[in-house]
Amino acid sequence: MKVVAKRPESLYDKKFHYCPGCTHGIIHRVIAECIDEMGLREKTIGVCPVGCGVLAYEYFNFDMLEAAHGRAPAIATGIKRMLPENFVFTYQGDGDLASIGMAEIVHASARGENITVIFINNTIYGMTGGQMAPTTLIGQVTTTSPYGRKPELAGYPVRMAELLATNEGSAYICRTSVHNPANVNKTKKAIKKAIQTQLEGKGFSMVEILSTCPTNWGMSPLKALERVEKEMIPYFPLGEFKVKE
Amino acid sequence: MEEKQVLFAGFGGQGVLSMGQFLTHAALSAGKHVSWVPSYGAEMRGGTANCLVTISDEEISSPITENPLMAVILNRPSLDKFENKIKPNGTLVINSSLVDREPRRDDLDVLKLPVNELADRLGNPRGANMILLGAYLEKTKVVEVEKALEYFDVIFKGKSEEVIRKNKEAFLAGVEYARQHW
Amino acid sequence: MEKVLMKGNEALAEGAIRAGCRAYFGYPITPSSEIAEYMARKYPKIGGVFLQAESELAAINMVYGAASTGARVMTASSGPGISLKQEGISFIAEAELPCVIVNISRGGPGLGGIQPAQSDYFQATRGGGHGDYHTMVLAPASVQDMMDFAMEGFELADKYRIPVMIMAEGTLGQMMEPIILRDPVTPGYEKPWATTGCKGRKPNVITTLHLPPEELEQRNRYLKSKYDLIKAREKRAETFMTEDAKLVLVAFGLMSRVAKRAVMEVRKRGIKAGLIRPITLWPFPDEHIVEAAENGAKLFLSLEINMGQMVEDIKLALNGRSRVEFYGRIGIIPNPEEIVGVVMQIAEREGL
Ligand SMILES: Cc1ncc(C[n+]2csc(CCOP(=O)(O)OP(=O)(O)O)c2C)c(N)n1
Ligand code: SF4
Ligand SMILES: [Mg+2]
């Protein structure tokens, strides 16, 4: 017998536009389940990035905004300061968060801004067709690192979870993955913990989620999941990096 | 030759853009003025793709038109979208493997071929676009088939011999189909 | 001469390289990314610097730094990215650092779309950022122009110590046409102002800060005199059948080729139409407009891929001498057939 999971209320009954095998969709669903289970749908305000998640507001069934590229944490800050009782989160890709929006994310964390960030790390710019991201691994071929990322030219991939964990304002920082069911479950637990952190007013929380981009990696969906395990996790270890009591 | 504009339209991934590029290259090699204008952006996420090729003996003023003389249509949504735009008495080439309706207009010269079946029979499913192109050129002579063949190696410069051979084979299969059926 | 088939964006990038540009800083955005991708492929092989900045803000400031060393340097982007660069462009204009900035333009406002547009006309021709300044703006209409204007852009930038913007509709960046590859040039301008280390000379300072009001005013007067010189010397336009035209279409970029086709069509139907294609958008070729009016043009029709921006410059040029109308689309380049329809309607109404 096949068990078909019920669609969470926080997700509209609508087909995702993401490519086959892309894990953006799974992550949307997990977020929606958490928000449902914690009874937050009506007090949630989400901020979309510029990136493949730019249309996330078409799928989430609660209040959403769309930010300029990289600026989502600043917008979330404005919202949260005006509405401290609401649950406010951003959904951002690695180009959005770790490149153009690096300033915004670091300062949101440093300020201990009481928002939650869901960070989709797929080591590439998905939406613009596969250019190098700050998280692109050494040797990884992209359209703007056609000979593989070389540290002499483009430096090293940033580890955002570790980096932000050093900020005093960060209250909960965790890295997870969604390449198999066990890790999807762990991701869900982490997101709940991040939300709880915000609800308790403890400060900045972020869950970095390793995600696939089969299209721009030039891989089948299955191979892409394998790459997460074999290549990404060794460089981006999973686990909690900051848990403020 | 007066200016000719040809539209190629289908799903992203069907090789629509490269078909147009091939024709553009071939016509350039044959000494014509050419331009190739693609739709862009939407192909990435499973949308439709099209490109417009203009070929002329004179310098091309506008590389853009609403009403091409000919259209090569690879799927049903493209037929629905472009059928009415083709110039009166123009030419409509259809991939009948994927287009499940008849054209509505009766002034057009309609040429059909079951491209996907032919490609499968050749054991080269990715060669569908070259089959279509071969048939199209054989029939319309927009560029002479012999000329196109002559420039194959130039157009596919940098590709492996195997790729060139397979493309040529598919192209010739299309030429043959047109000779027998059109 | 043998022609090669190239995409507009690649022809522009290759033109920059042939002009001696050896540094590129940018941030990906459709429909301009092929320029960055081309540089990423080429520069490692020829000893140039390609750097993907973390944002357009960073990219334009890297251009500032590189240009201050005297190097030929370029950045490219589109709509939202060009907006982000404006802060830096203002600084560059004031610091008089030569560089080329490319806008492969798409429709706005906001995130807008990625389809072709000319809606950044005001932004490009009025300076764009804070302060009293201009950039020179070139509008290519073909893939050949993409290469030629990139090369010309660097010459003008060095000659006048000014940022030069090349503005092309997205389609022009994406389409392919055969072009003649131009011979590479060796940049020949002395740049004694460059900050390269003061060995053997007094230190150079590049600053844009002028706190004393007299100094600031002096600075602005100086920039104004430079802009006047450019206006006197560098206005460029192409005219087509304007000598006896009663109705003159005005269009730039790829749009001008559509308009040219429309003029040819309506001429066949006996309508005395002509075309002016501004090549420099700033300085705007107002004298070409005035000349057409003096030759008897009763009506000017501005054709733009926006909601009507250049139409203001045409009115300024004519200063009430002839009437000006406007027709525009956005996110889509109108077809020759569409323009013929518009022109015929006007001709009928006006009894032309
Ligand atoms: C100011 C600005 N610069 C550039 C862009 C173009 N752009 C859109 S999405 C994107 C990258 C997105 O990559 P990422 O954040 O990793 O998201 P993904 O698509 O991989 O999920 C870029 C560069 C833009 N919209 N705005
Ligand atoms: S381009 Fe990559 S990240 Fe974007 S939807 Fe497709 S697979 Fe997902
Ligand atoms: Mg990404």
Side-chain angles (χ1 to χ4, degrees), chain A residues 18-19 22 24 52 122 126-127 212-216, chain B residues 45:
Chain A
Y18 302 108
C19 307
C22 174
H24 265 299
C52 282
N122 57 11
M127 190 190 205
T212 60
C213 179
T215 300
N216 290 302
Chain B
R45 266 153 285 282

Side-chain angles (χ1 to χ4, degrees), chain A residues 10-26:
Chain A
S10 289
L11 270 192
Y12 290 119
D13 189 5
K14 187 167 183 190
K15 207 169 160 287
F16 291 126
H17 70 286
Y18 302 108
C19 307
C22 174
T23 44
H24 265 299
I26 296 176

